[in-house]
mmCIF file of all heavy atoms in Angstrom:
data_model
loop_
_atom_site.group_PDB
_atom_site.id
_atom_site.type_symbol
_atom_site.label_atom_id
_atom_site.label_comp_id
_atom_site.label_asym_id
_atom_site.label_seq_id
_atom_site.Cartn_x
_atom_site.Cartn_y
_atom_site.Cartn_z
ATOM 1 N N ARG A 1 42.327 -3.986 67.167
ATOM 2 C CA ARG A 1 41.213 -4.570 67.842
ATOM 3 C C ARG A 1 40.169 -3.627 68.085
ATOM 4 O O ARG A 1 40.344 -2.542 68.580
ATOM 5 C CB ARG A 1 41.645 -5.228 69.217
ATOM 6 C CG ARG A 1 40.427 -5.918 69.984
ATOM 7 C CD ARG A 1 40.957 -6.960 70.940
ATOM 8 N NE ARG A 1 41.802 -6.328 71.983
ATOM 9 C CZ ARG A 1 41.404 -6.005 73.182
ATOM 10 N NH1 ARG A 1 40.083 -6.172 73.430
ATOM 11 N NH2 ARG A 1 42.089 -5.506 74.045
ATOM 12 N N VAL A 2 38.916 -3.951 67.678
ATOM 13 C CA VAL A 2 37.766 -3.112 68.010
ATOM 14 C C VAL A 2 37.283 -3.300 69.437
ATOM 15 O O VAL A 2 37.048 -4.491 69.806
ATOM 16 C CB VAL A 2 36.590 -3.369 67.011
ATOM 17 C CG1 VAL A 2 35.352 -2.485 67.328
ATOM 18 C CG2 VAL A 2 37.070 -3.207 65.569
ATOM 19 N N LEU A 3 37.270 -2.256 70.261
ATOM 20 C CA LEU A 3 36.785 -2.389 71.660
ATOM 21 C C LEU A 3 35.190 -2.296 71.722
ATOM 22 O O LEU A 3 34.683 -1.406 71.135
ATOM 23 C CB LEU A 3 37.499 -1.208 72.496
ATOM 24 C CG LEU A 3 39.103 -1.253 72.542
ATOM 25 C CD1 LEU A 3 39.513 -0.092 73.342
ATOM 26 C CD2 LEU A 3 39.547 -2.609 73.055
ATOM 27 N N PRO A 4 34.690 -3.168 72.458
ATOM 28 C CA PRO A 4 33.250 -3.085 72.822
ATOM 29 C C PRO A 4 32.866 -1.907 73.608
ATOM 30 O O PRO A 4 33.673 -1.395 74.416
ATOM 31 C CB PRO A 4 32.955 -4.481 73.549
ATOM 32 C CG PRO A 4 34.292 -4.805 74.132
ATOM 33 C CD PRO A 4 35.396 -4.307 73.346
ATOM 34 N N GLU A 5 31.653 -1.597 73.596
ATOM 35 C CA GLU A 5 31.093 -0.396 74.311
ATOM 36 C C GLU A 5 31.278 -0.557 75.766
ATOM 37 O O GLU A 5 31.381 0.358 76.587
ATOM 38 C CB GLU A 5 29.647 -0.072 74.018
ATOM 39 C CG GLU A 5 29.432 0.311 72.545
ATOM 40 C CD GLU A 5 29.827 1.812 72.312
ATOM 41 O OE1 GLU A 5 29.906 2.642 73.340
ATOM 42 O OE2 GLU A 5 30.203 2.177 71.158
ATOM 43 N N SER A 6 31.352 -1.809 76.323
ATOM 44 C CA SER A 6 31.292 -2.245 77.697
ATOM 45 C C SER A 6 32.804 -2.085 78.316
ATOM 46 O O SER A 6 32.907 -2.177 79.458
ATOM 47 C CB SER A 6 30.774 -3.545 77.972
ATOM 48 O OG SER A 6 31.492 -4.500 77.205
ATOM 49 N N ASN A 7 33.825 -1.881 77.401
ATOM 50 C CA ASN A 7 35.182 -1.782 77.948
ATOM 51 C C ASN A 7 35.360 -0.552 78.586
ATOM 52 O O ASN A 7 35.005 0.522 78.293
ATOM 53 C CB ASN A 7 36.141 -1.835 76.670
ATOM 54 C CG ASN A 7 37.508 -1.979 77.040
ATOM 55 O OD1 ASN A 7 38.237 -0.940 77.398
ATOM 56 N ND2 ASN A 7 38.100 -3.143 76.965
ATOM 57 N N SER A 8 36.113 -0.731 79.890
ATOM 58 C CA SER A 8 36.305 0.386 80.701
ATOM 59 C C SER A 8 37.110 1.519 80.025
ATOM 60 O O SER A 8 36.887 2.715 80.375
ATOM 61 C CB SER A 8 37.009 -0.011 81.987
ATOM 62 O OG SER A 8 38.207 -0.615 81.754
ATOM 63 N N ASP A 9 38.035 1.123 79.243
ATOM 64 C CA ASP A 9 38.934 2.110 78.420
ATOM 65 C C ASP A 9 38.034 2.909 77.511
ATOM 66 O O ASP A 9 38.530 4.211 77.408
ATOM 67 C CB ASP A 9 40.037 1.425 77.714
ATOM 68 C CG ASP A 9 41.035 0.872 78.597
ATOM 69 O OD1 ASP A 9 41.205 1.369 79.814
ATOM 70 O OD2 ASP A 9 41.695 -0.099 78.307
ATOM 71 N N VAL A 10 36.991 2.383 76.995
ATOM 72 C CA VAL A 10 36.118 3.132 76.122
ATOM 73 C C VAL A 10 35.398 4.192 76.921
ATOM 74 O O VAL A 10 35.235 5.275 76.488
ATOM 75 C CB VAL A 10 35.168 2.132 75.322
ATOM 76 C CG1 VAL A 10 34.072 2.966 74.559
ATOM 77 C CG2 VAL A 10 35.961 1.268 74.464
ATOM 78 N N ASP A 11 34.963 3.819 78.106
ATOM 79 C CA ASP A 11 34.253 4.879 79.013
ATOM 80 C C ASP A 11 35.228 6.051 79.159
ATOM 81 O O ASP A 11 34.736 7.028 79.069
ATOM 82 C CB ASP A 11 33.858 4.141 80.299
ATOM 83 C CG ASP A 11 32.708 3.214 80.061
ATOM 84 O OD1 ASP A 11 31.957 3.348 79.002
ATOM 85 O OD2 ASP A 11 32.513 2.180 80.881
ATOM 86 N N GLN A 12 36.385 5.792 79.619
ATOM 87 C CA GLN A 12 37.358 6.852 79.916
ATOM 88 C C GLN A 12 37.595 7.701 78.602
ATOM 89 O O GLN A 12 37.809 8.808 78.673
ATOM 90 C CB GLN A 12 38.641 6.248 80.390
ATOM 91 C CG GLN A 12 38.581 5.560 81.834
ATOM 92 C CD GLN A 12 39.791 4.973 82.228
ATOM 93 O OE1 GLN A 12 40.984 5.285 81.619
ATOM 94 N NE2 GLN A 12 39.795 4.073 83.279
ATOM 95 N N LEU A 13 37.661 6.918 77.514
ATOM 96 C CA LEU A 13 37.955 7.735 76.296
ATOM 97 C C LEU A 13 36.858 8.525 75.865
ATOM 98 O O LEU A 13 36.960 9.674 75.434
ATOM 99 C CB LEU A 13 38.290 6.703 75.050
ATOM 100 C CG LEU A 13 38.566 7.327 73.633
ATOM 101 C CD1 LEU A 13 39.768 8.192 73.756
ATOM 102 C CD2 LEU A 13 38.828 6.208 72.706
ATOM 103 N N LYS A 14 35.595 8.080 75.951
ATOM 104 C CA LYS A 14 34.477 8.953 75.689
ATOM 105 C C LYS A 14 34.403 10.225 76.698
ATOM 106 O O LYS A 14 34.104 11.342 76.159
ATOM 107 C CB LYS A 14 33.100 8.119 75.964
ATOM 108 C CG LYS A 14 32.873 7.093 74.877
ATOM 109 C CD LYS A 14 31.621 6.324 75.108
ATOM 110 C CE LYS A 14 31.199 5.378 74.046
ATOM 111 N NZ LYS A 14 30.000 4.612 74.438
ATOM 112 N N LYS A 15 34.647 10.046 77.866
ATOM 113 C CA LYS A 15 34.822 11.202 78.745
ATOM 114 C C LYS A 15 35.711 12.259 78.261
ATOM 115 O O LYS A 15 35.562 13.435 78.369
ATOM 116 C CB LYS A 15 34.939 10.782 80.215
ATOM 117 C CG LYS A 15 33.809 9.965 80.827
ATOM 118 C CD LYS A 15 34.232 9.444 82.241
ATOM 119 C CE LYS A 15 33.172 8.493 82.808
ATOM 120 N NZ LYS A 15 33.565 7.988 84.138
ATOM 121 N N ALA A 16 36.962 11.681 77.871
ATOM 122 C CA ALA A 16 37.946 12.544 77.442
ATOM 123 C C ALA A 16 37.612 13.246 76.210
ATOM 124 O O ALA A 16 37.908 14.535 76.005
ATOM 125 C CB ALA A 16 39.307 11.833 77.170
ATOM 126 N N LEU A 17 36.878 12.584 75.136
ATOM 127 C CA LEU A 17 36.455 13.230 73.963
ATOM 128 C C LEU A 17 35.400 14.320 74.239
ATOM 129 O O LEU A 17 35.379 15.304 73.637
ATOM 130 C CB LEU A 17 35.851 12.159 73.010
ATOM 131 C CG LEU A 17 37.074 11.161 72.610
ATOM 132 C CD1 LEU A 17 36.307 10.140 71.629
ATOM 133 C CD2 LEU A 17 38.182 11.738 71.913
ATOM 134 N N ASP A 18 34.535 13.952 75.184
ATOM 135 C CA ASP A 18 33.357 14.905 75.488
ATOM 136 C C ASP A 18 33.822 16.200 76.198
ATOM 137 O O ASP A 18 33.256 17.171 76.090
ATOM 138 C CB ASP A 18 32.360 14.108 76.412
ATOM 139 C CG ASP A 18 31.562 13.092 75.614
ATOM 140 O OD1 ASP A 18 31.552 13.224 74.343
ATOM 141 O OD2 ASP A 18 31.046 12.238 76.395
ATOM 142 N N SER A 19 35.004 16.111 76.882
ATOM 143 C CA SER A 19 35.506 17.204 77.623
ATOM 144 C C SER A 19 36.452 18.113 76.846
ATOM 145 O O SER A 19 36.962 19.143 77.373
ATOM 146 C CB SER A 19 36.322 16.690 78.847
ATOM 147 O OG SER A 19 37.417 15.943 78.525
ATOM 148 N N VAL A 20 36.603 17.781 75.505
ATOM 149 C CA VAL A 20 37.479 18.624 74.730
ATOM 150 C C VAL A 20 36.838 20.061 74.489
ATOM 151 O O VAL A 20 35.801 20.148 73.979
ATOM 152 C CB VAL A 20 37.795 17.916 73.308
ATOM 153 C CG1 VAL A 20 38.541 18.793 72.436
ATOM 154 C CG2 VAL A 20 38.663 16.661 73.646
ATOM 155 N N ASP A 21 37.698 21.064 74.602
ATOM 156 C CA ASP A 21 37.257 22.487 74.322
ATOM 157 C C ASP A 21 37.832 22.792 73.026
ATOM 158 O O ASP A 21 38.981 23.247 72.841
ATOM 159 C CB ASP A 21 37.720 23.409 75.482
ATOM 160 C CG ASP A 21 37.149 24.751 75.217
ATOM 161 O OD1 ASP A 21 36.660 25.004 74.146
ATOM 162 O OD2 ASP A 21 37.356 25.562 76.240
ATOM 163 N N LEU A 22 37.081 22.681 71.984
ATOM 164 C CA LEU A 22 37.552 23.003 70.597
ATOM 165 C C LEU A 22 37.962 24.350 70.423
ATOM 166 O O LEU A 22 38.984 24.660 69.805
ATOM 167 C CB LEU A 22 36.493 22.530 69.501
ATOM 168 C CG LEU A 22 36.113 21.120 69.473
ATOM 169 C CD1 LEU A 22 35.111 20.810 68.408
ATOM 170 C CD2 LEU A 22 37.428 20.239 69.110
ATOM 171 N N GLU A 23 37.242 25.322 70.927
ATOM 172 C CA GLU A 23 37.623 26.777 70.720
ATOM 173 C C GLU A 23 38.995 27.044 71.277
ATOM 174 O O GLU A 23 39.836 27.681 70.740
ATOM 175 C CB GLU A 23 36.511 27.723 71.290
ATOM 176 C CG GLU A 23 35.263 27.675 70.528
ATOM 177 C CD GLU A 23 34.262 28.545 71.141
ATOM 178 O OE1 GLU A 23 34.572 29.293 72.097
ATOM 179 O OE2 GLU A 23 33.076 28.602 70.564
ATOM 180 N N ALA A 24 39.225 26.625 72.580
ATOM 181 C CA ALA A 24 40.469 26.817 73.312
ATOM 182 C C ALA A 24 41.725 26.220 72.525
ATOM 183 O O ALA A 24 42.725 26.691 72.402
ATOM 184 C CB ALA A 24 40.373 26.269 74.627
ATOM 185 N N ILE A 25 41.374 25.012 71.917
ATOM 186 C CA ILE A 25 42.458 24.334 71.291
ATOM 187 C C ILE A 25 42.776 25.059 69.917
ATOM 188 O O ILE A 25 43.987 25.212 69.526
ATOM 189 C CB ILE A 25 42.053 22.850 71.000
ATOM 190 C CG1 ILE A 25 42.107 22.087 72.165
ATOM 191 C CG2 ILE A 25 42.915 22.229 69.966
ATOM 192 C CD1 ILE A 25 41.671 20.669 72.158
ATOM 193 N N GLN A 26 41.717 25.452 69.175
ATOM 194 C CA GLN A 26 42.028 26.194 67.959
ATOM 195 C C GLN A 26 42.713 27.468 68.025
ATOM 196 O O GLN A 26 43.701 27.811 67.244
ATOM 197 C CB GLN A 26 40.722 26.478 67.195
ATOM 198 C CG GLN A 26 39.992 25.102 66.772
ATOM 199 C CD GLN A 26 38.567 25.378 66.278
ATOM 200 O OE1 GLN A 26 38.119 26.567 66.197
ATOM 201 N NE2 GLN A 26 37.822 24.366 65.928
ATOM 202 N N THR A 27 42.508 28.173 69.163
ATOM 203 C CA THR A 27 43.320 29.390 69.361
ATOM 204 C C THR A 27 44.650 29.274 69.769
ATOM 205 O O THR A 27 45.490 30.141 69.593
ATOM 206 C CB THR A 27 42.456 30.237 70.405
ATOM 207 O OG1 THR A 27 42.306 29.594 71.624
ATOM 208 C CG2 THR A 27 41.056 30.594 69.841
ATOM 209 N N SER A 28 44.978 28.040 70.388
ATOM 210 C CA SER A 28 46.307 27.927 70.950
ATOM 211 C C SER A 28 47.087 26.950 70.119
ATOM 212 O O SER A 28 48.367 26.721 70.420
ATOM 213 C CB SER A 28 46.252 27.364 72.382
ATOM 214 O OG SER A 28 45.634 26.098 72.442
ATOM 215 N N ASP A 29 46.557 26.571 68.975
ATOM 216 C CA ASP A 29 47.373 25.504 68.311
ATOM 217 C C ASP A 29 48.694 25.911 67.743
ATOM 218 O O ASP A 29 49.681 25.180 67.906
ATOM 219 C CB ASP A 29 46.421 24.984 67.037
ATOM 220 C CG ASP A 29 45.828 23.618 67.187
ATOM 221 O OD1 ASP A 29 46.145 22.963 68.189
ATOM 222 O OD2 ASP A 29 44.901 23.295 66.457
ATOM 223 N N ASP A 30 48.770 27.068 67.079
ATOM 224 C CA ASP A 30 49.949 27.453 66.500
ATOM 225 C C ASP A 30 51.175 27.692 67.486
ATOM 226 O O ASP A 30 52.279 27.175 67.414
ATOM 227 C CB ASP A 30 49.816 28.875 65.701
ATOM 228 C CG ASP A 30 48.866 28.538 64.610
ATOM 229 O OD1 ASP A 30 48.748 27.405 64.134
ATOM 230 O OD2 ASP A 30 48.316 29.580 64.078
ATOM 231 N N THR A 31 50.835 28.327 68.652
ATOM 232 C CA THR A 31 51.861 28.717 69.658
ATOM 233 C C THR A 31 52.319 27.297 70.308
ATOM 234 O O THR A 31 53.490 27.054 70.490
ATOM 235 C CB THR A 31 51.388 29.623 70.704
ATOM 236 O OG1 THR A 31 50.902 30.774 70.044
ATOM 237 C CG2 THR A 31 52.328 29.862 71.735
ATOM 238 N N TYR A 32 51.302 26.473 70.575
ATOM 239 C CA TYR A 32 51.532 25.200 71.283
ATOM 240 C C TYR A 32 52.466 24.248 70.341
ATOM 241 O O TYR A 32 53.430 23.776 70.894
ATOM 242 C CB TYR A 32 50.390 24.500 71.490
ATOM 243 C CG TYR A 32 50.443 23.134 72.247
ATOM 244 C CD1 TYR A 32 50.502 22.987 73.527
ATOM 245 C CD2 TYR A 32 50.440 21.915 71.469
ATOM 246 C CE1 TYR A 32 50.708 21.834 74.198
ATOM 247 C CE2 TYR A 32 50.629 20.742 72.055
ATOM 248 C CZ TYR A 32 50.729 20.657 73.387
ATOM 249 O OH TYR A 32 50.880 19.316 73.973
ATOM 250 N N GLN A 33 52.176 24.161 69.150
ATOM 251 C CA GLN A 33 52.996 23.321 68.272
ATOM 252 C C GLN A 33 54.312 23.805 67.998
ATOM 253 O O GLN A 33 55.300 23.012 68.135
ATOM 254 C CB GLN A 33 52.180 23.033 66.967
ATOM 255 C CG GLN A 33 50.869 22.434 67.004
ATOM 256 C CD GLN A 33 50.939 20.875 67.241
ATOM 257 O OE1 GLN A 33 51.927 20.357 67.400
ATOM 258 N NE2 GLN A 33 49.823 20.231 67.509
ATOM 259 N N SER A 34 54.486 24.880 67.776
ATOM 260 C CA SER A 34 55.856 25.568 67.459
ATOM 261 C C SER A 34 56.730 25.471 68.613
ATOM 262 O O SER A 34 57.979 25.195 68.685
ATOM 263 C CB SER A 34 55.817 26.997 66.859
ATOM 264 O OG SER A 34 55.169 27.873 67.880
ATOM 265 N N ASP A 35 56.209 25.869 69.821
ATOM 266 C CA ASP A 35 56.964 25.743 71.103
ATOM 267 C C ASP A 35 57.476 24.307 71.355
ATOM 268 O O ASP A 35 58.614 24.151 71.715
ATOM 269 C CB ASP A 35 56.258 26.253 72.364
ATOM 270 C CG ASP A 35 56.096 27.726 72.214
ATOM 271 O OD1 ASP A 35 56.720 28.407 71.345
ATOM 272 O OD2 ASP A 35 55.111 28.328 72.973
ATOM 273 N N ASN A 36 56.621 23.341 71.225
ATOM 274 C CA ASN A 36 57.007 21.975 71.514
ATOM 275 C C ASN A 36 57.966 21.403 70.574
ATOM 276 O O ASN A 36 58.860 20.590 70.968
ATOM 277 C CB ASN A 36 55.701 21.100 71.548
ATOM 278 C CG ASN A 36 55.047 21.215 72.916
ATOM 279 O OD1 ASN A 36 55.421 20.492 73.865
ATOM 280 N ND2 ASN A 36 54.019 21.987 73.126
ATOM 281 N N VAL A 37 57.814 21.824 69.268
ATOM 282 C CA VAL A 37 58.861 21.346 68.313
ATOM 283 C C VAL A 37 60.236 21.861 68.651
ATOM 284 O O VAL A 37 61.169 21.157 68.549
ATOM 285 C CB VAL A 37 58.432 21.858 66.874
ATOM 286 C CG1 VAL A 37 59.591 21.579 65.890
ATOM 287 C CG2 VAL A 37 57.112 21.147 66.423
ATOM 288 N N GLU A 38 60.229 23.174 69.020
ATOM 289 C CA GLU A 38 61.558 23.749 69.369
ATOM 290 C C GLU A 38 62.187 23.016 70.566
ATOM 291 O O GLU A 38 63.421 22.700 70.706
ATOM 292 C CB GLU A 38 61.466 25.223 69.596
ATOM 293 C CG GLU A 38 62.857 25.913 69.877
ATOM 294 C CD GLU A 38 62.620 27.448 69.941
ATOM 295 O OE1 GLU A 38 61.527 27.848 69.765
ATOM 296 O OE2 GLU A 38 63.656 28.122 70.396
ATOM 297 N N ASN A 39 61.276 22.768 71.623
ATOM 298 C CA ASN A 39 61.756 22.100 72.722
ATOM 299 C C ASN A 39 62.291 20.792 72.606
ATOM 300 O O ASN A 39 63.305 20.352 73.171
ATOM 301 C CB ASN A 39 60.679 22.106 73.818
ATOM 302 C CG ASN A 39 60.298 23.579 74.353
ATOM 303 O OD1 ASN A 39 61.076 24.453 74.409
ATOM 304 N ND2 ASN A 39 59.058 23.644 74.846
ATOM 305 N N TYR A 40 61.576 19.996 71.667
ATOM 306 C CA TYR A 40 62.075 18.590 71.451
ATOM 307 C C TYR A 40 63.369 18.711 70.684
ATOM 308 O O TYR A 40 64.234 17.872 70.977
ATOM 309 C CB TYR A 40 61.043 17.909 70.619
ATOM 310 C CG TYR A 40 61.400 16.565 70.224
ATOM 311 C CD1 TYR A 40 61.470 15.473 71.096
ATOM 312 C CD2 TYR A 40 62.027 16.310 68.976
ATOM 313 C CE1 TYR A 40 61.921 14.305 70.737
ATOM 314 C CE2 TYR A 40 62.472 15.051 68.578
ATOM 315 C CZ TYR A 40 62.499 14.100 69.529
ATOM 316 O OH TYR A 40 62.957 12.865 69.196
ATOM 317 N N LEU A 41 63.370 19.471 69.767
ATOM 318 C CA LEU A 41 64.622 19.430 68.880
ATOM 319 C C LEU A 41 65.893 19.908 69.568
ATOM 320 O O LEU A 41 67.052 19.416 69.278
ATOM 321 C CB LEU A 41 64.507 20.360 67.614
ATOM 322 C CG LEU A 41 63.598 19.683 66.597
ATOM 323 C CD1 LEU A 41 63.375 20.734 65.476
ATOM 324 C CD2 LEU A 41 63.845 18.317 65.940
ATOM 325 N N THR A 42 65.832 20.694 70.615
ATOM 326 C CA THR A 42 66.905 21.254 71.343
ATOM 327 C C THR A 42 67.233 20.463 72.550
ATOM 328 O O THR A 42 68.136 20.739 73.266
ATOM 329 C CB THR A 42 66.778 22.730 71.677
ATOM 330 O OG1 THR A 42 65.516 22.873 72.483
ATOM 331 C CG2 THR A 42 66.658 23.575 70.484
ATOM 332 N N SER A 43 66.264 19.437 72.924
ATOM 333 C CA SER A 43 66.573 18.700 74.093
ATOM 334 C C SER A 43 67.638 17.747 73.837
ATOM 335 O O SER A 43 67.899 17.374 72.778
ATOM 336 C CB SER A 43 65.140 18.038 74.581
ATOM 337 O OG SER A 43 64.826 17.106 73.633
ATOM 338 N N SER A 44 68.068 17.120 74.929
ATOM 339 C CA SER A 44 69.186 16.081 74.817
ATOM 340 C C SER A 44 68.562 14.809 74.274
ATOM 341 O O SER A 44 67.538 14.308 74.711
ATOM 342 C CB SER A 44 69.802 15.748 76.237
ATOM 343 O OG SER A 44 70.526 14.651 76.187
#
C-alpha cells in the first residue's frame, strides 16, 4: 500500500531518514555486521 503524505507513520519515517548519519554508518558497517552475524548464529 502506498501511504499518503498525511499519514502519521510517514512523518515518523521522514524524521528517521533525515536523522541518519551516513558517515558514521559507513565507518562502522563491517564491524557491526560481522559481530551481529556471529551473535545470531551462536544464540539459542
Side-chain angles (χ1 to χ4, degrees):
R1 178 158 64 96
V2 178
L3 299 177
E5 294 285 335
S6 58
N7 187 280
S8 59
D9 291 332
V10 172
D11 290 336
Q12 295 180 13
L13 179 58
K14 286 181 177 179
K15 293 177 182 178
L17 299 181
D18 292 339
S19 63
V20 171
D21 186 347
L22 291 180
E23 292 185 2
I25 287 177
Q26 290 173 3
T27 56
S28 62
D29 258 347
D30 293 341
T31 303
Y32 178 87
Q33 297 284 2
S34 61
D35 288 347
N36 278 277
V37 170
E38 183 177 355
N39 290 337
Y40 176 78
L41 290 174
T42 56
S43 64
S44 171

